[in-house]
Amino acid sequence: DVYDTHYTPQLGPGGAFLFQTVTIDHDDPRLGLSYRASPDVAIRFTAGSALAPPYPSLTNALNQTPAQAYTTGATSVTITRNAGRLLPETSFGYDLGTDARLPFGAVLSFDAYLTNLKNQFVTVIYPDGTYNSPGGTIPVYVSTNENLGDSRYEGIETSLHSDPQRGLGYTLSFDLQRAYPYDISPCFYATAAKP
């Protein structure tokens, strides 16, 4: 996968847009295998990676502020900055599953999976100095989008479904998932540090 991001790191003089381009590429191999243990039982295994480029509103906020935009009576100022250098979200996952046709015609499916996600998109706000307003000194914050370190998703899925040629069909499904971030910047928890 190859994609280009065209973005404005900041507004130029008089509010003119100044554009930059970032090109990023990523290889996404995939493998899928299945084994039919009997006419009514199949075992599946898949492994592969995927890429999700940042969507335009994450990289190129048209409402970014070129300077500290103070509003009378405000207790703080927030500046929006573009994030054109966001890395894509990339993942690599594994899935092991089976499908079994039961004697009464329904199909029981079971899957266990593990997916590692890198560079998850997250909006961050951090302090960036102060502003001398008519009412006194107030804090200035920057709002932008950045990449989180790593995340892991693991879980199990099971379903029972029936799709008869005639009559009433049904699907019962259940999913149990555990997800958590790790290897992240300290500023994710402490807003006193800029990433």
Side-chain angles (χ1 to χ4, degrees):
D1 294 311
V2 179
Y3 72 93
D4 290 336
T5 299
H6 303 282
Y7 74 104
T8 57
Q10 61 186 3
L11 295 177
F17 288 101
L18 304 173
F19 288 94
Q20 289 186 3
T21 300
V22 174
T23 301
I24 296 177
D25 63 276
H26 189 264
D27 292 327
D28 294 302
R30 294 174 183 265
L31 171 70
L33 301 171
S34 64
Y35 171 72
R36 182 147 324 254
S38 75
D40 294 326
V41 176
I43 300 171
R44 300 173 274 104
F45 173 77
T46 58
S49 68
L51 171 131
Y55 39 94
S57 64
L58 286 179
T59 59
N60 216 9
L62 296 178
N63 64 344
Q64 66 175 331
T65 49
Q68 295 165 341
Y70 172 74
T71 303
T72 304
T75 57
S76 67
V77 175
T78 301
I79 299 171
T80 304
R81 289 196 182 141
N82 280 341
R85 297 198 174 275
L86 271 180
L87 296 173
E89 288 183 340
T90 58
S91 64
F92 197 95
Y94 307 90
D95 182 283
L96 179 62
T98 185
D99 299 308
R101 188 180 334 264
L102 303 177
F104 53 90
V107 175
L108 177 66
S109 295
F110 177 83
D111 286 89
Y113 62 88
L114 168 69
T115 301
N116 293 308
L117 177 65
K118 292 186 175 295
N119 304 320
Q120 185 172 358
F121 307 134
V122 64
T123 300
V124 295
I125 298 175
Y126 57 85
D128 193 41
T130 58
Y131 177 73
N132 293 323
S133 72
T137 302
I138 59 175
V140 175
Y141 298 96
V142 170
S143 173
T144 190
N145 296 295
E146 296 192 358
N147 293 109
L148 192 62
D150 297 312
S151 299
R152 177 165 290 152
Y153 297 83
E154 51 194 28
I156 56 172
E157 296 176 344
T158 187
S159 68
L160 178 68
H161 68 274
S162 176
D163 187 16
Q165 291 182 352
R166 206 172 231 192
L168 184 64
Y170 60 86
T171 299
L172 302 171
S173 60
F174 174 79
D175 178 53
L176 183 62
Q177 183 182 71
R178 177 180 180 225
Y180 56 92
Y182 65 96
D183 190 25
I184 60 176
S185 167
C187 71
F188 184 74
Y189 295 107
T191 57
K194 182 179 176 181

